[in-house]
Each structure stands twice: as structure tokens, then as C-alpha cells.
Amino acid sequence: MTMTDNTAAIVGGPELPQERKLVTEIPGPESKKLMARKQAAVSKAVGATVPVFTVAAGGGVLVDADGNSLIDFGSGIAVTGVGNSNPRVVKAMAEQLNRFTHTCFTVTHYDSYVEVAEALNRLTPGDFEKRSALFNSGAEAVENAVKIARHYTGKQAVVAFDHAYHGRTNLTMGLTAKNIPYKSGFGPFAPEVYRAPLSYPFRDGGLDGVTAARKAISTIEKQVGAENLAAIIIEPIQGEGGFIVPAEGFLPTLVAWARENDVVFIADEVQTGFARTGAMFASDHEGIAPDIIVTAKGIAGGLPLSAVTGRADIMDHPQVGGIGGTYGGNPIACAAALATIESYEQDGLVQRAQEIGTTMMGRLNALASEDPRIGDVRGRGAMVAIELVDPATNEPDAELTGKIAKYAHEHGVILLTCGTYGNVIRFLPPLTMPDHLLDEGLRIVADAIAAA
Ligand code: PLZ
């Protein structure tokens, strides 16, 4: 029996009952059966955070193969900001599906690709002329941003930061900081990648942003040299690395230095982009206008699509045919993106991310004031995290973090961890999550912390 035979009648989207409901233990018997099949068919290297199989999702819930309805605090890692099977997105995709599914944009063009580029050029920070190019994954877009920056500057070196995450392809693995699980055994990595220190207020003694940036710049000048440096790439809020919000002034100081030194400043907004942080892009909070912005995840309501958007002179620099790919900017994904962007703009989702953030920050700060194991509460908008520590030493407590996540999963909450030290719990609810589910999910997290 296949999943489709099993579940043909189930429809996802916001009409799904918005409730947490456990009808079996987690994972239930159906998920366990499917997991056994998975283990016999799928590479063991492909893991899972929560060992259940999904049959439907929408609003703020995900329904598993046993009929359990789980509160979704992950959004498929910050992807389904507009909610799973968002009706606008489903309708736009269905219309496109019935017209054509693929031409390869570099064989014959179609207007939805152009329209997505226009929307990105309009929405991203910076009131200069821009161009965009579309790809499939975040990693692929990061690779292309670096290619374009190298072509434009005629230089080769790239600087990434401590705790960075930029993807799993060869170049992006090299840019990524954390060894296990992302890099170990997968080298050699691409050359001309260098690493600079980050502003990490909770762990750098609260260094102010300008001083932290000067430290990074000194490292770059001493170990790389601006004359060799094509690009600096940084996530405005480090995602996989632990939801690290740099101190105020850090990013603007780096941007100013890059501009003075003919270095392309690339913001990787793959995780922070599209309303998530309570602004359309996290760069907006910092008042910076990156030369290039990389987007993916939240761009297309769950369809694989990514983009590189940047200054027209940089983006137009490579030779014609130098940038492309079979599927980049696929017409179904473009239709999804246009509907998704419409939803962010017309359904008040930037505002909703701020509201969700206020609720989460309030609850988590209250918990932290009573429990010294919560060393830090941080984030912006609906991108929030807690860092768990040994209160005596401030040392990261990954074991406690794992216990909290496990409790939440068993009690019907999809909860993700992150952080270089594995001691951060992150909250990334869909922006369509109703308040009662947000409250209930936070209550279960509080129970989980109390029980751990
Ligand atoms: N840049 C900032 O967060 C993807 C990784 C999931 P892709 N982060 C989730 C996993 O375990 O593989 C990410 C990101 C930032 C780039 C990427 C890469 O995006 O679409 O996964 O390639």
C-alpha cells in the first residue's frame, strides 16, 4: 500500500482542524511501519527530527499517518510562512499546472519568472537598480551569488563567519562553520574560503557591534587582504548556527568597509527572509542595503525556488549564458512564489510575525526569569530562540536541549533545535498559526523545560 492509497481523502491547508490531538503515542504504529520501510529504502544519512510521516498540513498543524495533529513550530525550517497548502498558492499552482510545467527558462522564457524578479527587486532593501536570477535551493543560490561576485570583482577570496550556515554543496559546505553533521568526511572543500569572528552578544562578553566588526575586519585585513577579497557573506541573523542576532552596528560597519574596499556584501537571507523576522527582510532591521541578497525557503510557500537579487551592474556582469540551470525558476515554483508574495503583502503577515514574536518573547522571557538554565532569549519577529546552559558555568547544555525537544515531540509539538553547540531551541511557527495553538505549544514547551 502506498501513502496515497492510505490518505487519498485527506486534504491539507488552513481548513484542517486547528488543534493538537494525539490519538496514538508519537510515533504511532503507521509511522513506525513507514519508518521501517524508509530504513530499508532510504540512505541512513538522511535523518529526521520527529519520527512521524506527514499526510496533511495547514494553518498551524501537521497531521501524521496515525491521525495525530501536531502543533508546527518549525514550518519545515522556515519555509511555510504562509502556511502549508495556502489556498492562494494552491490555486496559482493548479492554474499553472494545467498550462505548462517546464520549458527551461534558458530555452524559452515565460513571464512569471520575470514577475518574480520584479517583485524581488521591489521588495529587497536598497533603492538602486537591481536584477535577479532564480534557482532551486538556498545552497545553489549562495553558490551563484559567489560566482557573480567573483566575476564582478575579478577577485577570488570569500569570507564567511563563525557559526555560519550556507548549505551542503561543496562551496557552501566550505562556507558553513559546523563540522558535524554537515562537513565531516565530505572534504576536500573549495579553496579561497576564510572565516571571520562573529558578533555573538551572549558569548562574546557583550562586545558592542562596531568593536566586534572592527575585530572581524582586522582578521580579514591581516589574513586575506581586501585586494584578494571578492565577497563577504553573512546571515543577518545566524540560523542553523543558533539564531544569533549580532549587536547593533555590526552589520552596517561591515557593509561600509566592504563598500570602501570593492568587496561585494552578500546577505544570506535564506532563513530570515520574507516576513519571518517581522520585516520583509532581516536586513531592513539593520538599515543595510546589501549588494546581493540571497533568498529561498519562505519565497514560494513550500515549492523549491531560490533567488539572487543584487545591484544591476554586479548582476549583469557575467557573460550571457554564464548563469542558468535546467530547473531554476520553474514555472510552477514561480506561480507559487507570486501567490506567496501576494499573501505576505495582502494577508498582513509582516505584522503577524511581529505579533507572534511579541507573544513568544514575552512567554520565553518569563520562563527565563525563573529558570537560569535558559541563558538567553533572542531573535526577531517569528524567529526566536532560547539558549540552554549550565547556569554555573554558562557552558552549552546540548543534553538538556535534546530532552526538551523529545518531550515536545512526544506531546505533539514539532520543535527544532540548532546551534553550533546543539544547545539552542528555535521557534519558527507558520505565520498562519492561530493564537490558541501558539499558546498551547508554548505551554507544552514550558512543561518540557520543567520536566527536563
Ligand atoms: N543559507 C541561511 O538556513 C538552509 C538546512 C536544512 P537549502 N537551512 C536549513 C538542512 O539540514 O539541510 C540554509 C540556510 C541559510 C542557506 C541554506 C541552504 O538552503 O535550500 O537547504 O540548500
Side-chain angles (χ1 to χ4, degrees):
M1 184 182 274
T2 66
M3 290 290 286
T4 8
D5 297 333
N6 240 347
T7 59
I10 298 179
V11 176
E15 300 299 316
L16 270 183
Q18 295 298 300
E19 60 182 2
R20 182 181 67 107
K21 192 179 80 180
L22 297 184
V23 295
T24 69
E25 58 173 14
I26 303 287
E30 281 303 318
S31 278
K32 279 187 183 153
K33 253 192 265 167
L34 288 162
M35 192 60 83
R37 269 175 61 191
K38 180 228 167 181
Q39 273 155 5
V42 178
S43 161
K44 200 170 81 174
V46 183
T49 304
V50 188
V52 298
F53 279 70
T54 303
V55 297
V61 298
L62 185 153
V63 177
D64 77 7
D66 292 281
N68 299 299
S69 178
L70 313 174
I71 297 176
D72 182 9
F73 273 175
S75 299
I77 320 192
V79 171
T80 52
V82 296
N84 252 293
S85 297
N86 176 300
R88 287 184 196 267
V89 177
V90 170
K91 182 166 174 282
M93 284 198 295
E95 282 168 12
Q96 180 58 45
L97 269 171
N98 287 312
R99 255 185 277 142
F100 63 95
T101 48
H102 174 83
T103 69
C104 188
F105 189 73
T106 58
V107 175
T108 69
H109 292 342
Y110 37 89
D111 63 357
S112 55
Y113 184 117
V114 178
E115 215 178 315
V116 171
E118 287 167 349
L120 290 166
N121 298 348
R122 171 173 64 83
L123 290 170
T124 48
D127 56 359
F128 37 78
E129 206 180 330
K130 293 176 206 146
R131 304 278 187 271
S132 290
L134 305 183
F135 306 95
N136 302 285
S137 68
E140 190 189 2
V142 169
E143 293 248 0
N144 277 281
V146 171
K147 278 166 67 172
I148 293 166
R150 283 176 168 159
H151 201 282
Y152 175 75
T153 58
K155 301 188 278 187
Q156 295 188 349
V158 185
V159 162
F161 285 78
D162 286 334
H163 310 289
Y165 184 91
H166 298 292
R168 294 177 184 265
T169 59
N170 187 265
L171 174 61
T172 61
M173 256 195 304
L175 294 169
T176 292
K178 191 173 177 176
N179 178 39
I180 292 186
Y182 307 123
K183 300 170 77 164
S184 192
F186 296 141
F189 304 113
E192 289 307 314
V193 172
Y194 301 88
R195 198 164 303 286
L198 183 73
S199 164
Y200 188 164
F202 180 63
R203 294 206 170 271
D204 65 10
L207 214 59
D208 73 89
V210 174
T211 307
R214 289 217 183 99
K215 256 180 78 177
I217 289 164
S218 166
T219 302
I220 295 167
E221 287 177 339
K222 297 289 173 293
Q223 299 183 22
V224 189
E227 71 278 20
N228 302 307
L229 185 58
I232 288 176
I233 181 162
I234 189 165
E235 302 151 80
I237 298 173
Q238 229 86 348
E240 303 304 308
F243 279 30
I244 304 163
V245 185
E248 198 185 327
F250 183 71
L251 292 172
T253 306
L254 290 177
V255 170
W257 180 86
R259 201 136 298 154
E260 281 159 23
N261 288 280
D262 186 28
V263 171
V264 175
F265 185 92
I266 304 172
D268 178 344
E269 292 239 20
V270 167
Q271 191 152 166
T272 51
F274 296 102
R276 174 55 53 189
T277 65
M280 197 52 94
F281 295 97
S283 295
D284 294 321
H285 296 288
E286 308 279 347
I288 57 168
D291 301 310
I292 290 180
I293 294 194
V294 181
T295 52
K297 290 192 186 285
I299 192 174
L303 270 281
L305 185 73
S306 63
V308 178
T309 299
R311 290 182 185 275
D313 54 336
I314 300 176
M315 294 297 294
D316 282 342
H317 201 270
Q319 59 279 14
V320 174
I323 296 297
T326 305
Y327 294 112
N330 166 273
I332 313 293
C334 284
L338 293 171
T340 298
I341 291 168
E342 189 178 284
S343 180
Y344 288 124
E345 292 199 285
Q346 294 185 12
D347 299 335
L349 295 184
V350 173
Q351 169 78 29
R352 181 64 189 145
Q354 293 168 8
E355 287 166 13
I356 288 174
T358 303
T359 301
M360 292 196 297
M361 277 290 190
R363 292 284 288 278
L364 296 170
N365 275 318
L367 289 177
S369 68
E370 283 164 17
D371 191 336
R373 296 174 302 168
I374 304 175
D376 197 22
V377 181
R378 57 180 181 248
R380 278 201 163 112
M383 181 172 186
V384 167
I386 54 177
E387 177 157 355
L388 296 149
V389 298
D390 175 344
T393 59
N394 245 10
E395 283 302 302
D397 194 340
E399 199 189 317
L400 171 64
T401 308
K403 277 191 199 154
I404 295 167
K406 185 159 183 281
Y407 179 105
H409 301 160
E410 286 167 358
H411 289 77
V413 178
I414 307 271
L415 194 63
L416 308 180
T417 62
C418 64
T420 300
Y421 315 110
N423 68 324
V424 177
I425 289 184
R426 55 174 152 174
F427 299 84
L428 291 166
L431 307 176
T432 51
M433 177 172 286
D435 282 332
H436 74 274
L437 282 185
L438 187 62
D439 289 340
E440 190 177 349
L442 287 167
R443 183 173 57 68
I444 286 158
V445 171
D447 293 347
I449 296 170

